[in-house]
Amino acid sequence: QVQLVESGGGLVQAGGSLRLSCAASGRIFSSDIMAWYRQAPGKQRDLVASITSGGITNYADSVKGRFTISRDNAKNTVYLQMNSLKPEDTAVYYCNLLRTVFVTHRAYWGQGTQVTVSS
C-alpha cells in the first residue's frame, strides 16, 4: 500500500513562490510516475506536472516556465516549486502516484494541500 502526504501549501501574494512536498511511503517502484494535480472550486482536477524516476518531466501549458517538478528517489519525495504565482493558480493541489503493472494502472492520491494566491 502506498501513502502520500503533501505539505507546503498556504497563502501567498501574486508574484510570490511556494514549494510543495509529497512524501511517499510504502513500496515505491522505479516505474512509478509521480505527479501533481490541482482542483479549483467547481472545476475538474487537472494535471499540473509529472515526473518519472529518470527525471522526465511533463507540464501543463499554464505552468510552463513558472513551476518546476523534481523528485528525490532516495527519499521517495516529489516537489513542486511554484514561482510567479497567479490568482488563477489557487486550488487544492494533490500529489499522485501512477503505477502500471503489465496493463493494469493504479493511482494513489494524497489528501491535498490548499494553495491560495491573493491579488
Side-chain angles (χ1 to χ4, degrees):
Q1 189 71 7
V2 173
Q3 290 188 323
L4 303 172
V5 179
E6 303 105 331
S7 60
L11 173 65
V12 64
Q13 288 189 331
S17 298
L18 281 175
R19 188 193 196 206
L20 306 182
S21 299
C22 172
S25 60
R27 192 173 178 188
I28 308 301
F29 300 154
S30 60
S31 57
D32 292 337
I33 296 174
M34 298 192 75
W36 289 96
Y37 284 72
R38 67 185 181 186
Q39 187 168 20
K43 296 189 176 182
Q44 67 181 20
R45 190 174 299 187
D46 292 325
L47 176 68
V48 175
S50 65
I51 186 168
T52 68
S53 62
I56 298 173
T57 59
N58 180 51
Y59 293 93
D61 288 342
S62 59
V63 306
K64 282 181 181 177
R66 300 188 298 121
F67 291 11
T68 302
I69 189 170
S70 60
R71 180 170 174 170
D72 186 331
N73 294 322
K75 296 181 178 180
N76 289 333
T77 300
V78 63
Y79 305 95
L80 186 68
Q81 178 66 44
M82 305 185 293
N83 298 329
S84 302
L85 282 161
K86 304 175 181 180
E88 51 264 43
D89 295 316
T90 296
V92 177
Y93 284 70
Y94 295 92
C95 182
N96 168 272
L97 184 147
L98 179 65
R99 173 165 296 167
T100 300
V101 179
F102 298 110
V103 296
T104 302
H105 305 286
R106 180 167 182 177
Y108 298 87
W109 295 94
Q111 80 285 354
T113 186
Q114 176 71 46
V115 171
T116 303
V117 184
S118 63
S119 57

